Amino acid sequence: MSTFTQLSPSRKRLLGALLAVAIVGVGSIGVGGAVAVAAETAPRAAVDLGEAGTFAVLSKSGITDVYASTVSGNVGSSPITGAAIHLTCPEVLTGTIYSVDAEGPSCKVTDDTYLTTAVSDVELAYTDAAGRTTPDFINLGAGEIGGLTLTPGLYKWGTDVNISTDVTLTGSSTDVFIFQISKDLQQASAQNVILAGDAQAKNVFWQVAGSVAIGTTAHFEGTILSQTMIALKTGASINGRLLAQTAVTLQSNTVTAPVE
């Protein structure tokens, strides 16, 4: 037991996943695979973000910014130099700006080890979200979800996903929404992702293989796990996290990490 507790968060999750696969495999021998289905769908587990969950904005190749944005939560970029973090200290209302080196905003904290772990955890979380099986909905709306009210579950698209008008996510405080998008995610200007019932931003995950563009003055909810760029246009806001495997671009935006 002591050996397991000393592992890094990402290693713990990897070991846990291997144990889960072993248990499901044993169960499926006796019940024709029914255990494997039940294990994922009742209830569907949230994506484990590890150390990445402590960030509001985290990228691998920098964060650009058109002043003034406001961020509530930690900010960081790795492995690129801290000089690629363009947010200023007053724009980060709560939390810390982390850099891999001595470059970056004057208030930054240099912690290469912490950032390396967090970025690794972004990649693990992306793989977790992308690897979920037995979707409840496939290619819903042919990729256009504007105007819909969505219930908890796993959604999968082999297309772009567009939010041309408001979309509502309704559920309880423990319900999980996972969106697997194989191409781009685009939200039109002045449109909103709305949480209804007691749905929580911390339980909403958008896994996007392409790029993400949130339109001017639009509002978004949930954690974005993008394999490429996340771009927020002028005045857009998000109650969630921007976790990009390339760059994040901000233009006078409001980013608020969800309450855990």
Side-chain angles (χ1 to χ4, degrees), residues 35-205:
V35 170
V37 174
E40 183 166 3
T41 60
R44 199 175 294 280
V47 176
D48 184 358
L49 299 176
E51 294 297 340
T54 66
F55 284 83
V57 184
L58 181 62
S59 80
K60 294 177 71 174
S61 58
I63 302 164
T64 65
D65 175 57
V66 175
Y67 188 85
S69 294
T70 58
V71 178
S72 298
N74 290 341
V75 173
S77 194
S78 173
I80 198 166
T81 174
I85 302 173
H86 295 167
L87 278 163
T88 63
C89 299
E91 291 176 282
V92 180
L93 304 183
T94 62
T96 301
I97 299 176
Y98 288 95
S99 171
V100 299
D101 55 24
E103 301 297 324
S106 60
C107 61
K108 55 87 181 44
V109 171
T110 302
D111 196 331
D112 180 39
T113 300
Y114 180 43
L115 283 168
T116 298
T117 299
V119 167
S120 176
D121 285 350
V122 168
E123 295 168 345
L124 287 169
Y126 180 92
T127 299
D128 174 12
R132 299 296 180 96
T133 58
T134 63
D136 301 293
F137 303 92
I138 298 176
N139 294 326
L140 180 68
E144 173 56 72
I145 62 174
L148 301 181
T149 296
L150 307 183
T151 55
L154 177 62
Y155 294 74
K156 183 178 181 68
W157 288 273
T159 62
D160 294 337
V161 168
N162 296 293
I163 305 173
S164 61
T165 59
D166 291 355
V167 60
T168 300
L169 314 182
T170 184
S172 74
S173 62
T174 58
D175 283 332
V176 173
F177 300 77
I178 300 175
F179 302 99
Q180 297 174 331
I181 302 170
S182 66
K183 295 185 179 180
D184 297 338
L185 170 62
Q186 299 183 21
Q187 182 177 4
S189 297
Q191 305 306 313
N192 304 293
V193 176
I194 300 168
L195 300 184
D198 200 20
Q200 303 290 307
K202 67 179 181 179
N203 295 326
V204 179
F205 304 91

